[in-house]
């Protein structure tokens, strides 16, 4: 971990934090985090991929971690994160890159590949497939009481989170998201109420790991994080007329990931419908894997990642 360098880039009017490891002359890999994560979620992958001969870059999205928050967080959008990703690569003089993304980071990675196909050598997505046009209005109906729908309501998550300190909020989210059941609250309870006070962290997340996340969420707060992804989800799903990602793609799914209990999502992948949009996709299911499969089983996930990168590194001209 001590080998990881940290720098700040002036990007689209904001100072964005980037963690980096590996030689600038090596093929590049950019890691895009989800929620409630920051760059640190990729610590196991960054070291393994850099040791395999790649340059690895893991930014904090705007409003997350050590990156600046936008002046008006409530106006932030996925388009901002897509543009920031392109600008980060331009700032670092990286012309082509492998994109590894988890959770809503994949909602940045896929449209980035559609808009900048010449910049993308390949995609590895963890926990979220390509979302078709109108994903959350026509294809996948989110259950009432699911945390996503609750947090879409302005003020509701703020009131829920505000009853606790930041450490308790982040701890509770990690506990909820590592379980196999969807976090769904009853009408008379809030999402934070779903975690009993003495519930332990998942075994793969230490108190020291938690403190890294907590320290940075105490800095950033949750304003931007609630806007992107949750209050921007209606915009998810490609606006490209006939979206098709030609890049080689690997989708890694934990078999116990609660997200694949969203009605229709698992069938969308297993039936092959997703290949209408991502024809060159391979899917790997990880037995016992949770929503945080890359932290839970880092060695197995790293092996999948390195095999994919090794098979496709000829697509990058350094």
């Amino acid at each position: 971990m001590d080998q990881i360098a940290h720098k700040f880039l002036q990007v689209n009017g904001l100072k964005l934090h980037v963690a980096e490891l590996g030689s600038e002359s090596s093929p590049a890999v950019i890691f895009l985090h989800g929620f409630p994560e920051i760059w640190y979620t990729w610590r196991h992958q960054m070291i393994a991929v850099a040791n395999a001969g790649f340059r690895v870059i893991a930014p904090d999205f705007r409003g997350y971690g050590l990156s600046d928050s936008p002046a008006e967080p409530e106006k932030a959008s996925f388009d901002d994160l897509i543009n920031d990703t392109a600008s980060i690569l331009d700032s670092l003089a990286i012309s082509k890159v492998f994109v590894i993304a988890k959770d809503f980071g994949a909602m940045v990675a896929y449209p980035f590949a559609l808009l900048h196909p010449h910049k993308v050598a390949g995609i590895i997505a963890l926990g979220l497939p390509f979302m078709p046009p109108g994903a959350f209005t026509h294809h996948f109906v989110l259950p009432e009481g699911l945390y996503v729908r609750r947090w879409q309501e302005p003020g509701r998550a703020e009131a829920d989170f505000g009853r606790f300190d930041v450490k308790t909020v982040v701890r509770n989210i990690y506990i909820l998201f590592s379980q196999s059941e969807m976090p769904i609250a009853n009408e008379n309870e809030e999402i934070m109420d779903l975690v009993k006070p003495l519930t332990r962290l998942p075994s793969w997340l230490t108190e020291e790991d938690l403190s890294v996340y907590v320290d940075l969420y105490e800095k950033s707060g949750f304003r931007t994080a609630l806007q992107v992804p949750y209050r921007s989800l209606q915009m998810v799903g490609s606006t490209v007329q006939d979206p098709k990602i030609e890049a080689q793609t690997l989708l890694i799914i934990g078999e116990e990931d609660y997200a694949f209990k969203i009605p229709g999502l698992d069938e969308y992948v297993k039936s092959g419908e997703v290949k209408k949009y991502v024809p060159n996709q391979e899917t790997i299911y990880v037995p016992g894997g949770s929503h945080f499969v890359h932290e839970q089983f880092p060695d197995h996930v790293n092996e999948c990642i390195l095999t994919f990168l090794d098979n496709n590194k000829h697509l990058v001209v350094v």
Side-chain angles (χ1 to χ4, degrees):
M1 288 291 291
D2 292 340
Q3 300 170 339
I4 296 175
H6 298 269
K7 63 175 63 174
F8 291 88
L9 304 175
Q10 199 68 31
V11 170
N12 299 327
L14 298 174
K15 188 172 67 173
L16 300 186
H17 168 251
V18 175
E20 188 173 12
L21 185 62
S23 169
E24 291 185 7
S25 63
S26 299
V29 179
I30 189 168
F31 291 90
L32 304 179
H33 65 77
F35 177 82
E37 296 147 339
I38 49 173
W39 75 269
Y40 184 80
T41 193
W42 297 113
R43 59 199 179 280
H44 306 299
Q45 286 68 46
M46 289 182 72
I47 293 168
V49 173
N51 286 344
F54 294 84
R55 178 187 186 184
V56 297
I57 301 144
D60 288 332
F61 285 130
R62 58 171 59 200
Y64 284 80
L66 292 171
S67 290
D68 284 350
S69 294
E72 298 180 276
E74 290 74 20
K75 293 184 178 179
S77 70
F78 278 98
D79 286 346
D80 293 329
L81 306 191
I82 295 163
N83 292 336
D84 288 347
T85 300
S87 297
I88 287 170
L89 296 177
D90 290 344
S91 178
L92 296 173
I94 295 171
S95 59
K96 200 157 193 175
V97 68
F98 289 101
V99 184
I100 302 181
K102 177 194 173 278
D103 187 58
F104 89 83
M107 298 179 183
V108 178
Y110 290 122
F112 176 77
L114 285 171
L115 294 170
H116 305 281
H118 59 288
K119 290 182 179 287
V120 177
I123 302 169
I124 301 176
L126 284 75
L128 206 65
F130 177 87
M131 290 288 141
F136 294 107
T137 52
H138 301 107
H139 286 73
F140 313 117
V141 178
L142 302 176
E144 183 64 40
L146 182 66
Y147 74 96
V148 176
R149 291 189 59 174
R150 289 294 181 85
W151 294 350
Q152 285 176 334
E153 300 177 31
R156 187 153 191 174
E158 290 85 342
D160 187 13
F161 294 2
R163 298 178 293 154
F164 306 96
D165 60 19
V166 170
K167 182 175 182 178
T168 300
V169 173
V170 176
R171 173 188 287 270
N172 286 356
I173 293 170
Y174 263 94
I175 289 169
L176 285 174
F177 285 12
S178 64
Q179 296 172 357
S180 61
E181 298 302 318
M182 288 191 292
I184 297 176
N186 293 322
E187 188 176 348
N188 61 346
E189 64 182 352
E190 298 300 326
I191 300 301
M192 290 293 106
D193 298 330
L194 298 177
V195 182
K196 293 183 172 60
L198 297 179
T199 305
R200 296 188 177 206
L201 286 171
S203 60
W204 42 264
L205 189 73
T206 68
E207 289 290 341
E208 290 75 19
D209 292 331
L210 179 67
S211 70
V212 175
Y213 293 106
V214 170
D215 288 348
L216 293 185
Y217 274 99
E218 285 178 341
K219 171 194 174 294
S220 67
F222 297 98
R223 285 180 68 189
T224 308
L226 288 169
Q227 174 63 24
V228 184
Y230 301 105
R231 293 168 189 170
S232 305
L233 277 183
Q234 70 275 12
M235 294 178 280
V236 168
S238 174
T239 56
V240 176
Q241 185 79 28
D242 182 23
K244 187 165 287 188
I245 293 174
E246 299 293 351
Q248 295 296 318
T249 301
L250 174 64
L251 176 62
I252 301 174
I253 300 172
E255 286 189 346
E256 300 299 320
D257 188 338
Y258 69 85
F260 282 83
K261 293 186 178 177
I262 292 173
L265 190 57
D266 195 32
E267 178 63 18
Y268 168 68
V269 174
K270 287 182 174 174
S271 70
E273 184 184 352
V274 65
K275 290 198 172 188
K276 291 195 304 187
Y277 309 103
V278 192
N280 298 313
Q281 176 178 294
E282 175 192 358
T283 303
I284 294 176
Y285 287 87
V286 179
S290 72
H291 193 60
F292 302 103
V293 67
H294 65 301
E295 294 193 75
Q296 182 185 11
F297 298 122
D299 292 343
H300 181 54
V301 170
N302 290 350
E303 183 181 347
C304 296
I305 288 173
L306 292 174
T307 298
F308 177 90
L309 293 177
D310 189 56
N311 289 340
N312 293 287
K313 65 183 178 183
H314 64 280
L315 298 172
V316 178
V317 178
V318 180

